[in-house]
Amino acid sequence: MCLEDCEYAALPNSPIHVNMMAGALAGITEHAVCFPLDSVKTRMQMLATQPQTIYMSIRDTIARVTTSEGATALWRGVNSMIMGAGPAHALSFAMYEHFKSVFGADLPGNRVLETAAAGACATIAHDGLLTPFDVVKQRMQLPCGSRFSNTFACAKYIFRTEGLRAFYVSYPTTLTMNIPYHMVHFSAYESFKKALNPAGGYDPMSHCLAGGMAGGIAAAFTTPLDVVKTVLQTRGVSQDAAVRKVEGFRDAARLVWTNGGGMKAFVRGLGPRVMTHVPATAISWTTYEFLKMAIVEGMESPTPSHSHSHSHSHTHTHTHSHSHPNTN
């Protein structure tokens, strides 16, 4: 059975392990490919008091990091993200597909609210698993991250000096950021996908474009919250006593406003954040949709002894799917 013959319209109800496998591989691919830009964003968002640790632009950050620390510094912490992104994205996509069905987001018509609700449910599970890995990642992305020989050494240091709470101090802020992010992201993706591909079949270009646009819009919308999250997650290694005393969202937001120069401080890192999320979400959705299709196709490949009956069944299913257009 060729790719074009796969019953793509049936994929939203594919087994949970298919969604999890596809989601895990999509998440790892997304974060690994775009990691250097994420490192640039972290450097630009951190509150710094010394001129040598203040980064003003993407070009300036890349040039200074590669000159003083080497190009590999932009990849420092990627192992933490890979270890966390696989399981977290597997859980996220599985939850998303499940709650799309529960809330009726797959039904015909404009289901923006239902899709957004499914995205919010997926976010709670995703962030609960990924946040500790994200804390370790951001610590290693900072200039002082070079002191750690590997991800485990960094995690051990954080636990020993700041305790278990340090891994989750940013979780409420992360949820505050990522619930609206994913509500916008998932609903925008479904809307763009339907507009670009009304037939609902497997179309890599529409998945790529819809994913990229949705990710870029959601990233820009939530950048101020991402700035606050970065302050919370990097407070333990800050040279600023005021940053180290930050206890939660309100303290961090107030400090960003006071020390960062007002409203403009909340959009620091907007460029690299959007530049990271556009290709990342394009890669993630394209990979996810392809792998989901490919895995289901492999599961449904007929054996020689059943080829005739499967062909008959496929003809019937194909006819049925035309009477129920895919809304995923």
Side-chain angles (χ1 to χ4, degrees):
M1 182 168 61
C2 65
L3 293 180
E4 289 77 15
D5 290 334
C6 182
E7 294 94 337
Y8 190 75
L11 291 180
N13 296 317
S14 54
I16 189 170
H17 71 275
V18 172
N19 296 327
M20 295 185 76
M21 288 171 61
L25 292 171
I28 291 171
T29 303
E30 164 194 341
H31 286 288
V33 170
C34 300
F35 194 82
L37 276 174
D38 185 68
S39 294
V40 171
K41 181 216 71 173
T42 297
R43 299 268 184 139
M44 291 180 66
Q45 287 183 342
M46 69 178 188
L47 288 180
T49 55
Q50 299 179 357
Q52 63 268 29
T53 56
I54 298 176
Y55 300 91
M56 300 304 297
S57 68
I58 298 173
R59 180 179 296 180
D60 170 62
T61 304
I62 293 175
R64 289 170 55 189
V65 170
T66 53
T67 300
S68 61
E69 303 174 51
T72 56
L74 292 173
W75 291 94
R76 201 164 55 224
V78 70
N79 289 338
S80 178
M81 210 69 247
I82 289 175
M83 285 189 290
H89 278 68
L91 183 61
S92 176
F93 278 106
M95 294 285 284
Y96 175 60
E97 296 287 4
H98 171 72
F99 282 103
K100 272 176 65 181
S101 177
V102 170
F103 295 141
D106 285 329
L107 297 176
N110 190 5
R111 302 285 175 174
V112 175
L113 292 179
E114 291 87 345
T115 303
C121 292
T123 301
I124 294 171
H126 171 275
D127 290 351
L129 186 55
L130 188 63
T131 296
F133 295 94
D134 195 46
V135 171
V136 174
K137 176 210 73 173
Q138 287 205 314
R139 294 293 182 90
M140 296 189 71
Q141 286 176 327
L142 299 178
C144 61
S146 58
R147 77 171 87 166
F148 303 113
S149 58
N150 55 52
T151 298
F152 296 104
C154 181
K156 184 178 179 180
Y157 175 83
I158 294 171
F159 180 75
R160 188 177 69 250
T161 58
E162 302 172 54
L164 183 63
R165 182 174 179 271
F167 292 101
Y168 278 99
V169 68
S170 65
Y171 183 55
T173 301
T174 301
L175 284 181
T176 302
M177 174 185 73
N178 280 346
I179 286 178
Y181 171 87
H182 285 295
M183 289 176 72
V184 173
H185 176 198
F186 282 119
S187 56
Y189 173 73
E190 298 291 351
S191 297
F192 285 136
K193 188 174 71 169
K194 288 176 183 178
L196 294 168
N197 183 23
Y202 173 67
D203 178 19
M205 184 59 70
S206 67
H207 299 320
C208 182
L209 291 175
M213 289 189 293
I217 291 171
F221 180 72
T222 54
T223 293
L225 292 168
D226 190 50
V227 173
V228 176
K229 186 199 79 167
T230 297
V231 172
L232 286 169
Q233 292 191 166
T234 59
R235 64 175 189 158
V237 292
S238 176
Q239 297 176 342
D240 188 335
V243 175
R244 291 197 300 272
K245 293 178 182 177
V246 165
E247 289 296 328
F249 177 85
R250 183 176 297 180
D251 286 350
R254 185 184 298 116
L255 195 62
V256 170
W257 177 275
T258 304
N259 292 14
M263 186 60 71
K264 66 179 182 180
F266 288 95
V267 293
R268 290 190 66 178
L270 173 64
R273 177 167 164 80
V274 172
M275 288 175 64
T276 299
H277 280 260
V278 168
T281 49
I283 291 169
S284 181
W285 279 112
T286 305
T287 305
Y288 175 68
E289 300 279 11
F290 169 75
L291 289 172
K292 197 167 67 164
M293 180 195 67
I295 293 169
V296 172
E297 181 206 33
M299 292 170 57
E300 295 182 349
S301 295
T303 58
S305 60
H306 296 87
S307 60
H308 178 72
S309 60
H310 181 86
S311 174
H312 175 75
S313 174
H314 173 72
T315 302
H316 174 74
T317 305
H318 182 73
T319 303
H320 179 74
S321 67
H322 274 286
S323 62
H324 298 276
N326 174 39
T327 59
N328 182 40

